[in-house]
Amino acid sequence: MADLFEAAGLTPHAPSPLADRLRPTTLDEVVGQDHLLGPEGPIRRMADARRLASMILWGPPGTGKTTIARLLAKAAGYEFQQLSAVFSGVADLKKAFEAARARRAAGQSTLLFVDEIHRFNRAQQDGFLPFVEEGIVTLVGATTENPSFELNGALLSRCQVFVLKRLDEEALESLLARAEAFEGRPLPLEPEARGALVALADGDGRYLLTLAETLFNIGSAEPLTTKHLGQVLQKRSPAYDKDREEHYNLISALHKSIRGSDPDAALYWLARMLGGGEDPLFIARRLIRAAAEDIGEADPMSLVLANAAKDTYDFLGSPEGEIALAQLVVHLAAAPKSNAVYTAFKAAQAAARETGSLMPPKHILNAPTRLMKDLGYGKGYAYDHDAEEGFSGQNYFPDEMERRVFYKPRGEGVEARIKERLDRWAAMRKARSGG
């Protein structure tokens, strides 16, 4: 009688997923990472020399990190030992290091592959250091997160970081061709639907092969159209994690597209973030900052419009309120740009730190008491509205501090008129001070 495992198809003879059956057997079969595995690639050179350095493989899901580590150990003649930071603890690490030490004593090197290495806490990461330094293990860590943020500096200093690329269309097509050759039949797809399948994988080779396996199992008599493909396969969410690096990458791309006066690119990144489930109010906050930092006095209304767009979204919600964000993105990208206020304020902050607690000049201090008047507070103050052309030209900096110029308008948009006024006032100030 069949047991529960046999009934569920989980016997040792149950077929493995297509992605596993098509796993490359040599480094030459890995696609999309020629910059690392090509003839001049750094990992290829290590494999050919059969001398491996500890490394971190950083890249999106489904780009071959585990496969490369396994094949690298095979090519260099190292024992391959694998741990997952999700399921392993300190006890597992100790066992792995003890086994590696015993192998080393017998003349066998160990490649310790740690998947999701960023999930180990700082103390656990520190635990690798002596074993890596002594050469007991050659560490190959895999992560989808930016190592600069997620890994200890001490560990990073002992490892080379290699960045794996998201698989491009050519690499994904080669995987589909390999799957069709393995199955001995073409995928039941029209050409346009085949392109849609590749796009749906979003650079993830493992996911592409999972989708292909679903289509092979369906065994459609007629090639599927793009519409039918969408009905058969449920589209997954884009690769976007609001709490991780992608969150910062995309908001940076949006901000820099606005700064670069490219409304089309800015709209694209806005759509990517909203489509990935980003909080629209987080985006609105960054857009308000862009209005102040990158546009400033060249178009002062941009800051007003940015706050209005935030309030509009707050009032309407999604999806209607997203139109206000899109309108703001276009306005900011198309607006004249000036960071003069931003840079002026940073310079003023630096000057404030340098000069400490200097008092304002006495002539601009109020004198509400007799003592303060006797001390000269307010003496000689000129009321600008009564001065010729409404400008007195008095000094408003501390007496012990030379006058400095922080704000230097760039002459874009509204700021061009501001520049004219400031230049005129500067000339009048110089003339009235006798300078």
Side-chain angles (χ1 to χ4, degrees), residues 109-172:
S109 299
T110 299
L111 186 155
L112 177 61
F113 176 68
V114 181
D115 199 14
E116 304 284 347
I117 191 170
H118 62 275
R119 293 184 181 271
F120 276 134
N121 62 37
R122 300 287 174 171
Q124 289 171 318
Q125 291 178 30
D126 283 340
F128 288 101
L129 299 180
F131 301 98
V132 171
E133 285 182 342
E134 293 178 37
I136 293 172
V137 298
T138 296
L139 175 66
V140 178
T143 179
T144 57
E145 303 298 329
N146 190 328
S148 300
F149 301 146
E150 302 296 335
L151 300 184
N152 282 1
L155 183 59
L156 281 177
S157 71
R158 292 161 174 80
C159 299
Q160 296 186 53
V161 176
F162 296 118
V163 181
L164 277 71
K165 297 179 180 178
R166 175 182 178 275
L167 299 189
D168 59 19
E169 184 176 337
E170 181 181 355
L172 293 173

Side-chain angles (χ1 to χ4, degrees), residues 101-246:
R101 192 187 294 277
R103 289 192 204 98
R104 188 187 186 204
Q108 175 67 53
S109 299
T110 299
L111 186 155
L112 177 61
F113 176 68
V114 181
D115 199 14
E116 304 284 347
I117 191 170
H118 62 275
R119 293 184 181 271
F120 276 134
N121 62 37
R122 300 287 174 171
Q124 289 171 318
Q125 291 178 30
D126 283 340
F128 288 101
L129 299 180
F131 301 98
V132 171
E133 285 182 342
E134 293 178 37
I136 293 172
V137 298
T138 296
L139 175 66
V140 178
T143 179
T144 57
E145 303 298 329
N146 190 328
S148 300
F149 301 146
E150 302 296 335
L151 300 184
N152 282 1
L155 183 59
L156 281 177
S157 71
R158 292 161 174 80
C159 299
Q160 296 186 53
V161 176
F162 296 118
V163 181
L164 277 71
K165 297 179 180 178
R166 175 182 178 275
L167 299 189
D168 59 19
E169 184 176 337
E170 181 181 355
L172 293 173
E173 276 288 356
S174 70
L175 289 181
L176 288 184
R178 191 178 296 174
E180 289 173 324
F182 182 83
E183 290 286 331
R185 52 186 168 138
L187 281 164
L189 294 172
E190 291 186 354
E192 186 178 340
R194 187 183 184 93
L197 179 69
V198 170
L200 189 60
D202 197 23
D204 185 333
R206 181 171 52 245
Y207 184 59
L208 178 70
L209 292 176
T210 299
L211 296 177
E213 184 172 23
T214 300
L215 296 175
F216 280 130
N217 291 339
I218 289 173
S220 176
E222 297 293 331
L224 299 175
T225 65
T226 302
K227 179 180 178 181
H228 292 144
L229 177 68
Q231 294 171 348
V232 171
L233 303 175
Q234 293 296 314
K235 189 179 188 305
R236 69 172 178 177
S237 298
Y240 185 80
D241 190 331
K242 293 185 289 181
D243 297 323
R244 298 289 182 177
E245 191 206 1
E246 197 69 10

Side-chain angles (χ1 to χ4, degrees), residues 245-258:
E245 191 206 1
E246 197 69 10
H247 163 83
Y248 300 104
N249 286 345
L250 267 60
I251 196 65
S252 176
L254 173 60
H255 193 153
K256 288 182 173 65
S257 298
I258 288 171

Side-chain angles (χ1 to χ4, degrees), residues 57-77:
L57 301 178
W58 172 30
T63 51
K65 296 185 288 295
T66 304
T67 296
I68 289 173
R70 190 182 298 276
L71 295 179
L72 193 55
K74 178 181 176 183

